């Protein structure tokens, strides 16, 4: 199943698809192709470390995609392997297949983004926790729990804290799970993974409290916000739904949400009644709920990738519920229709996921090609390294375009603010500086006297005096 997942990524998410906005930020931190982009407060260095073996010496996006696809397949295999002995192999394989077949999993598996790896860490960590609880003599699951926690915290420290909370509660509240080594392993893994993020908070962001405050502001301020409907709207393939307006998509697109919830609840009920694998069903459900909570109720927008850890954890109880439902069907004439209905439902689910994925990949590929064409046009116009690009991200995403053009990216305000208008004006007399805009959008005051050129489609650029064709 893991091999199939890897091959599906390579076939369906084209390796030639250029880097996205966030990917450009992460890859630029270790790439020799372009200067490092501004690293905002919520981001962690885990993805940059993950891609460093390729990005440090090669600027090939297809090579990076293949590397990440293979790595994501290995990661899924290891995460499911952590569950061996807790549930039947076919339940684990089905759970892995359900998670791997989601469009959001296939899309982000080969991308330089952190959410998939938080999901893998969460799935492996819960499995290792349960195996360590079931067999006190084995040390490997304890080390596996620490490694999984470190992976999550290295990628997204706050997500790791939410996932780890139910595990800490379980080890403290449930008497037969009160093993000090599990709590210590989990805490040590989280601390080790988050150490760099915390240290960087004091060296570059004014302290841990300030970094947490800035991270909250970038996410719109963490407070009570019901974003369940936003997540449902984003299921049509909107990678970022901010603001998330418009009508609800066809219910077929998000019906799997409801079906998966019912199956997960059914799996838990079945486990309780049979008095078997209760922890293997209840604990991942609790961790999935904790992982999803901040993104469903504390932010005012949606991005489907935020829920990847919850989907990975939910997949195991869903698979258990589906298998239990088929098994509970009376034998004889009823068993075959039940199996056929389950197969048809899963086939329909897969068809919906692949349809959304196909449309999303097409849009993303074309958008990334536009960025590459814009970068090439800027080179032709004389904006060559060392150079600086700036502009309004809503109008023209200058950060990924700057990475494609091997330029620095700069902002005078907003979440990525890293310079001032006066500093840009001074730079423009020394090296090529360009402000990306549109025909009807005026440039900032410091660039009003600069030469305007048409770059690509609706994108125009105001180039500084140092630019020579």
């Amino acid at each position: 199943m893991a091999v199939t997942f890897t091959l599906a990524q390579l076939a369906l998410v084209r390796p030639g698809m250029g880097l996205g906005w966030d990917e450009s930020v992460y890859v630029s931190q270790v790439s020799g192709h372009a200067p490092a982009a501004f690293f905002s407060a919520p981001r962690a260095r885990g993805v940059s470390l993950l891609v460093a073996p390729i990005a440090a010496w090669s600027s090939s996006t297809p090579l990076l995609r293949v590397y990440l696809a293979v790595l994501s397949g290995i990661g899924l295999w290891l995460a499911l392997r952590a569950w061996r002995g807790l549930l039947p192999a076919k339940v684990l394989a089905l759970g892995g297949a359900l998670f791997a077949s989601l469009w959001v999993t296939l899309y982000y598996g080969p991308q330089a983004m952190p959410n998939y790896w938080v999901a893998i860490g969460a799935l492996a960590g819960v499995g290792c926790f349960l195996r360590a609880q079931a067999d006190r003599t084995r040390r490997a699951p304890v080390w596996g729990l620490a490694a999984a926690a470190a992976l999550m915290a290295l990628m997204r420290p706050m997500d790791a804290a939410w996932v780890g909370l139910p595990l800490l509660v379980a080890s403290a509240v449930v008497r037969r799970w009160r093993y000090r080594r599990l709590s210590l392993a989990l805490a040590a893994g989280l601390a080790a993974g988050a150490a760099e993020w915390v240290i960087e908070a004091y060296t570059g962001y004014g302290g841990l409290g300030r970094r947490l405050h800035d991270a909250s502001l970038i996410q719109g301020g963490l407070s009570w916000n019901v974003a369940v409907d936003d997540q449902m709207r984003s299921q049509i393939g909107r990678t970022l739904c901010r603001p998330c307006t418009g009508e609800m998509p066809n219910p077929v697109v998000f019906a799997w949400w409801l079906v998966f919830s019912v199956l997960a609840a059914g799996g838990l009920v079945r486990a309780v009644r049979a008095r078997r694998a209760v922890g293997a069903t209840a604990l991942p459900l609790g961790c999935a709920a904790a992982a999803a909570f901040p993104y469903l109720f504390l932010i005012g927008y949606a991005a489907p990738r935020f829920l990847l850890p919850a989907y990975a954890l939910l997949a195991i109880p869903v698979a258990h519920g589906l298998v239990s439902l088929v098994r509970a069907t009376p034998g004889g004439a009823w068993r075959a229709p039940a199996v056929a209905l389950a197969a048809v439902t899963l086939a329909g689910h897969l068809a919906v996921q692949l349809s959304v994925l196909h449309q999303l990949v097409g849009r993303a590929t074309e958008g990334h090609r536009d960025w590459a064409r814009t970068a090439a046009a800027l080179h032709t116009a004389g904006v060559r390294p060392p150079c600086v690009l700036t502009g309004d991200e809503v109008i023209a995403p200058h950060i990924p375009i700057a990475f494609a053009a091997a330029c620095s990216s700069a902002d005078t305000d907003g979440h990525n603010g890293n310079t001032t208008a006066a500093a840009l004006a001074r730079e423009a007399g020394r090296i090529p500086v360009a402000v990306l805009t549109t025909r009807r959008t005026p440039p900032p005051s410091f660039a009003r006297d600069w030469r305007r050129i048409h770059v690509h489609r609706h994108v125009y650029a105001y180039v500084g005096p140092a630019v020579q064709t």
Side-chain angles (χ1 to χ4, degrees):
M1 191 280 299
V3 171
T4 302
F5 173 56
T6 297
L7 295 176
Q9 293 176 70
L10 297 176
L12 300 173
V13 185
R14 304 160 191 165
M17 184 177 69
L19 295 179
W21 180 0
D22 291 289
E23 288 185 291
S24 298
V25 175
Y26 288 119
V27 175
S28 70
Q29 307 304 308
V30 294
S31 174
H33 167 71
F38 178 74
F39 210 71
S40 61
R43 302 187 188 276
R45 302 281 176 177
V47 173
S48 298
L49 293 175
L50 185 72
V51 302
I54 300 297
W57 60 272
S58 174
S59 61
S60 171
T61 300
L63 179 61
L64 183 62
R65 293 269 187 249
V66 172
Y67 163 76
L68 289 172
V70 172
L71 210 59
S72 63
I74 295 173
L76 183 58
W77 177 72
L78 290 173
L80 291 174
R81 188 178 175 83
W83 286 76
R84 287 184 63 182
L86 298 171
L87 290 170
K90 58 185 173 184
V91 173
L92 299 179
L94 178 59
L98 290 173
F99 173 63
S101 64
L102 297 176
W103 70 261
V104 65
T105 309
L106 285 164
Y107 185 69
Y108 284 107
Q111 292 205 37
M113 297 289 283
N115 310 87
Y116 173 81
W117 296 102
V118 177
I120 291 301
L123 186 60
V126 174
C128 288
F129 184 96
L130 290 168
R131 287 184 67 183
Q133 177 269 326
D135 186 352
R136 307 181 193 181
T137 63
R138 298 192 62 188
R139 295 184 178 181
V142 180
W143 286 105
L145 173 61
L151 174 64
M152 289 190 292
L154 188 63
M155 294 295 171
R156 285 179 73 88
M158 297 310 299
D159 284 11
W162 281 103
V163 173
L165 182 61
L167 298 180
L168 290 173
V169 172
S171 62
V173 174
V174 182
R175 183 171 300 175
R176 62 192 179 94
W177 285 352
R178 190 177 295 167
Y179 301 122
R180 183 177 299 176
R181 62 176 185 170
L182 293 183
S183 298
L184 290 176
L186 178 60
L190 292 174
E196 190 280 332
W197 195 85
V198 174
I199 293 172
E200 190 178 41
Y202 288 98
T203 59
Y205 295 88
L208 182 59
R210 178 62 182 271
R211 187 169 193 178
L212 290 171
H213 174 73
D214 291 348
S216 175
L217 288 180
I218 290 175
Q219 293 181 311
L222 297 181
S223 60
W224 184 256
N225 283 297
V226 178
V228 177
D229 56 334
D230 293 342
Q231 286 289 349
M232 295 172 74
R233 287 188 180 92
S234 70
Q235 291 304 309
I236 59 174
R238 298 176 67 177
T239 56
L240 181 62
C241 201
R242 187 179 189 179
C244 207
T245 56
E247 298 181 357
M248 282 287 181
N250 191 312
V252 173
V253 175
F254 57 82
W256 66 274
W257 263 34
L258 306 177
V259 175
F260 275 29
S261 300
V262 172
L263 288 174
L268 179 59
V269 170
R270 181 72 175 175
V272 171
R273 287 181 177 177
R275 296 183 180 180
R276 292 183 305 178
V278 177
T281 305
L283 191 59
L285 277 177
C287 291
F293 179 79
Y295 297 115
L296 294 179
F297 300 106
L298 295 183
I299 63 174
Y301 65 99
R305 59 188 173 87
F306 290 161
L307 296 183
L308 272 170
Y311 296 154
L313 291 165
L314 194 64
I316 299 298
V318 168
H320 194 204
L322 185 59
V323 172
S324 299
L325 181 64
V326 173
R327 284 180 175 176
T329 305
W334 290 102
R335 177 61 59 86
V339 173
L341 178 61
V344 170
T345 302
L346 290 174
H349 164 72
L350 183 60
V352 171
Q353 298 300 315
L354 294 182
S355 175
V356 174
L357 178 66
H358 176 71
Q359 297 178 44
L360 173 58
V361 169
R363 293 196 304 268
T365 301
E366 186 58 31
H368 297 173
R369 285 175 180 169
D370 278 347
W371 296 344
R373 294 182 186 115
T374 300
L378 287 170
H379 278 186
T380 302
V383 182
R384 306 183 187 95
C387 48
V388 179
L389 297 186
T390 187
D392 188 334
E393 283 293 349
V394 177
I395 297 171
H398 65 272
I399 291 179
I401 295 174
F403 180 78
C407 296
S408 298
S409 57
D411 280 282
T412 57
D413 55 16
H415 301 319
N416 296 309
N418 60 350
T419 188
T420 63
L424 280 176
R426 288 194 300 270
E427 286 286 288
R430 186 176 62 88
I431 62 173
V433 176
V435 180
L436 301 184
T437 181
T438 66
R439 177 190 291 271
R440 299 180 180 179
T441 305
S445 57
F446 66 85
R448 287 175 184 169
D449 297 330
W450 293 1
R451 178 167 56 94
R452 189 183 77 167
I453 59 174
H454 181 212
V455 181
H456 178 66
R457 290 191 178 179
H458 65 283
V459 180
Y460 285 72
Y462 285 80
V463 296
V467 175
Q468 298 179 359
T469 59

